[in-house]
Amino acid sequence: TQLLEQSPQFLSIQEGENLTVYCNSSSVFSSLQWYRQEPGEGPVLLVTVVTGGEVKKLKRLTFQFGDARKDSSLHITAAQPGDTGLYLCAGVKVQGAQKLVFGQGTRLTINP
Amino acid sequence: GAGVSQSPSNKVTEKGKDVELRCDPISGHTALYWYRQSLGQGLEFLIYFQGNSAPDKSGLPSDRFSAERTGGSVSTLTIQRTQQEDSAVYLCASSLSSLFYNYGYTFGSGTRLTVV
């Protein structure tokens, strides 16, 4: 059983469309992070959210942490081919060891 | 160094042989983590080191897996008597500290291990 469930697992859309990726859990997290990974590389940190209800924006990407700190979402506006990659959410549980647990990832493809 | 360095980048080994994977973290990062990733999936935690504390080995899948970190810097992950199910990308990451939950990880590019 995956501690962090991401949906959808695969998403293929056209350039210019909007999309949302979800990361859900029944556990409470001290923080949630989003990473993007490209083929042959390690994941790269995009953002960290730590406060329930927090919203952070990174250009066309908007990240939200749920009020109860159990879930998060990533919204991309006007997707570009450069947004293509594997998006991973990861969190540190409130009750538990200080290490990130990862979701299974969302593989995003933006078609020109 | 400027980033996390892992070597080798690719390793093909025969079933039953031992392999060693190396990770050189960012200077000054006290926490070092090993994860495993299969076929573009999510990351499976293996082990982490924080300063001089005893490592958290709770993710190691069997006693064939072990890791050490010498001098608080370089780490080596050893897999003994490799099996085909060990084939995966092994990722190393470091962070300033594991004691603060808002610190991000910096990952290396990984070692792709193939057991034939």
Side-chain angles (χ1 to χ4, degrees):
Chain A
T1 303
Q2 197 77 24
L3 185 63
L4 281 167
E5 294 283 347
Q6 286 188 239
S7 63
Q9 290 192 42
F10 299 92
L11 184 59
S12 179
I13 63 172
Q14 295 301 119
E15 181 177 0
E17 294 184 354
N18 302 330
L19 66 108
T20 302
V21 176
Y22 299 93
C23 175
N24 295 302
S25 177
S26 57
S27 299
V28 180
F29 289 86
S30 302
S31 68
L32 271 178
Q33 301 179 357
W34 286 89
Y35 291 79
R36 185 171 84 189
Q37 185 178 24
E38 300 193 30
E41 299 295 327
V44 175
L45 178 67
L46 296 175
V47 78
T48 301
V49 284
V50 298
T51 305
E54 181 175 5
V55 176
K56 279 193 174 178
K57 292 192 174 183
L58 186 66
K59 297 184 179 178
R60 294 176 292 101
L61 279 61
T62 301
F63 304 85
Q64 185 162 9
F65 200 10
D67 291 340
R69 292 185 293 144
K70 293 182 178 181
D71 54 82
S72 181
S73 64
L74 158 61
H75 182 78
I76 301 179
T77 303
Q80 304 291 318
D83 296 327
T84 294
L86 180 68
Y87 288 80
L88 296 154
C89 69
V92 176
K93 285 178 61 179
V94 169
Q95 300 292 339
Q98 296 300 306
K99 59 182 184 282
L100 283 177
V101 291
F102 281 80
Q104 76 274 44
T106 294
R107 185 162 298 282
L108 175 64
T109 302
I110 309 300
N111 303 300
Chain B
V4 176
S5 178
Q6 290 189 246
S7 61
S9 55
N10 282 284
K11 176 72 176 179
V12 180
T13 189
E14 292 182 351
K15 179 181 173 181
K17 295 285 180 71
D18 298 352
V19 295
E20 286 190 351
L21 312 180
R22 177 188 167 101
C23 173
D24 197 346
I26 291 174
S27 178
H29 280 193
T30 64
L32 185 148
Y33 311 83
W34 285 98
Y35 286 83
R36 180 168 71 173
Q37 186 176 35
S38 300
L39 289 174
Q41 298 297 307
L43 277 63
E44 174 191 6
F45 168 76
L46 297 176
I47 185 171
Y48 88 87
F49 301 85
Q50 170 55 54
N52 295 320
S53 302
D56 179 341
K57 305 178 181 180
S58 60
L60 295 178
S62 77
D63 58 9
R64 296 187 295 105
F65 289 72
S66 63
E68 62 177 19
R69 187 178 186 190
T70 54
S73 180
V74 171
S75 177
T76 302
L77 177 68
T78 301
I79 308 174
Q80 294 179 312
R81 305 182 302 282
T82 52
Q83 304 294 312
Q84 287 185 329
E85 60 262 29
D86 299 334
S87 296
V89 176
Y90 289 81
L91 289 161
C92 174
S94 69
S95 72
L96 280 169
S97 171
S98 70
L99 303 178
F100 297 95
Y101 52 76
N102 56 339
Y103 284 170
Y105 293 5
T106 301
F107 283 86
S109 296
T111 294
R112 180 176 297 278
L113 176 66
T114 304
V115 182
V116 298

